[in-house]
Amino acid sequence: MLEVIDKGALSERHPAPLLFVHGAWHAAWCWDEHFLSFFADEGYRALAVSLRGHGGSSTSKPLRICSVADYVEDVASVADNLPRRPVVIGHSMGGFVVQKYLESNDAPAAVLMASTPPRGYLGSGLRWMKRHPWDFARVAMTGRSLAYVSTPRLARERFFCAHTPDSHVSKYATRLQEESTRAAVDGLLNLPRPRRVTTTLLVLGAGNDGSVTAREVHATAHAYRTQAEIFPNMGHDMMLESGWPAVAERIHSWLGTQGL
């Protein structure tokens, strides 16, 4: 069973539902803090899924061997049970999952937020190894990564900018959970194929992102034949940072230009 947080309702103004897909170590809760209510109040039906083994979603096999293909199946299972094809919105690893989903599924539009680029996790992995070689070695040996992202200091480095209040960083760090080792390997080997994607995409990035560089965001946009937009003074978790309303407003306005 998948946990799905569902707010709002379809309207004539916004006929397509919005399906939000979280990144690594997160779950549907990260969208429920601000985004779901914002879009519901604007007349959308907004849903967030917790991928299997995350949040309140169960898994029939150990989380460590859940694959990106499993996560794509989760997104498809929710999308297929909606009355209309949803706009899919993915953050970080969730953006990677959305890219793989779009290879074989139609969507009226899609949004990538601070997404893992089509080249996968290589760049972020090398940066992690350079900054924290011993932590990276322990993750490689044990397959367990939560301890190396979930302290307030490490969570800020990876997910939040320097201006985010300590209380917010500490609060969200306690909600992070373990991630799949197999999905991390897929992020190196089972890469997206942008040429298979025909959906129109909005690509957004954060100027102070400790996980995905602006250069990688621009490369993602180029691969999908569009232009990236970078929000300054914002960390990786764009839906949780204090500047989140600007991001939500940009998505809302862009969906309007798509007739959605």
Side-chain angles (χ1 to χ4, degrees):
M1 297 292 291
L2 294 175
E3 175 187 36
V4 178
I5 304 175
D6 187 349
K7 293 187 175 180
L10 299 183
S11 64
E12 290 185 9
R13 211 160 33 112
H14 302 302
L18 310 181
L19 177 56
F20 293 86
V21 186
H22 65 82
W25 302 292
H26 291 61
W29 63 264
C30 69
W31 301 109
D32 195 30
E33 286 289 286
H34 306 295
F35 267 45
L36 296 187
S37 293
F38 171 89
F39 284 100
D41 290 345
E42 291 292 345
Y44 297 87
R45 183 180 177 189
L47 309 93
V49 58
S50 288
L51 301 171
R52 66 185 67 185
H54 297 76
S57 293
S58 61
T59 176
S60 60
K61 58 186 177 183
L63 174 64
R64 68 178 183 277
I65 61 172
C66 289
S67 66
V68 166
D70 291 327
Y71 294 164
V72 170
E73 183 179 289
D74 294 340
V75 174
S77 71
V78 177
D80 291 347
N81 282 288
L82 293 174
R84 295 192 58 172
R85 304 303 298 174
V87 174
V88 282
I89 302 169
H91 171 254
S92 194
M93 179 192 75
F96 189 94
V97 172
V98 164
Q99 292 173 66
K100 297 298 292 181
Y101 169 83
L102 292 173
E103 290 178 7
S104 54
N105 293 274
D106 294 328
V111 181
L112 302 179
M113 292 172 49
S115 174
T116 301
R119 65 179 289 187
Y121 297 146
L122 180 61
S124 62
L126 290 174
R127 290 190 294 275
W128 194 1
M129 182 169 61
K130 183 177 180 179
R131 288 195 298 255
H132 302 289
W134 291 112
D135 290 355
F136 187 87
R138 293 186 187 100
V139 172
M141 288 186 294
T142 66
R144 302 185 67 83
S145 56
L146 177 61
Y148 310 108
V149 300
S150 60
T151 67
R153 178 179 64 84
L154 294 172
R156 181 182 294 281
E157 178 182 300
R158 194 170 190 93
F159 303 120
F160 300 98
C161 71
H163 306 295
T164 305
D166 289 342
S167 60
H168 289 194
V169 176
S170 297
K171 171 187 173 182
Y172 296 134
T174 63
R175 302 200 69 174
L176 301 176
Q177 64 180 95
E178 195 59 72
E179 190 48 71
S180 165
T181 307
R182 168 65 187 277
V185 173
D186 285 345
L188 295 171
L189 302 178
N190 184 21
L191 300 181
R193 290 165 284 191
R195 291 185 179 182
R196 294 192 176 189
V197 176
T198 58
T199 301
T200 301
L201 275 78
L202 174 66
V203 178
L204 306 177
N208 297 113
D209 194 327
S211 299
V212 178
T213 66
R215 183 175 181 179
E216 287 171 330
V217 175
H218 284 292
T220 298
H222 180 73
Y224 290 100
R225 305 166 292 281
T226 189
Q227 298 292 318
E229 300 179 32
I230 306 296
F231 287 78
N233 304 315
M234 181 170 285
H236 183 67
D237 275 10
M238 302 174 74
M239 76 292 285
L240 296 174
E241 287 278 63
S242 59
W244 71 265
V247 181
E249 287 283 2
R250 179 63 188 117
I251 295 171
H252 173 44
S253 65
W254 181 79
L255 289 172
T257 67
Q258 305 301 310
L260 298 167

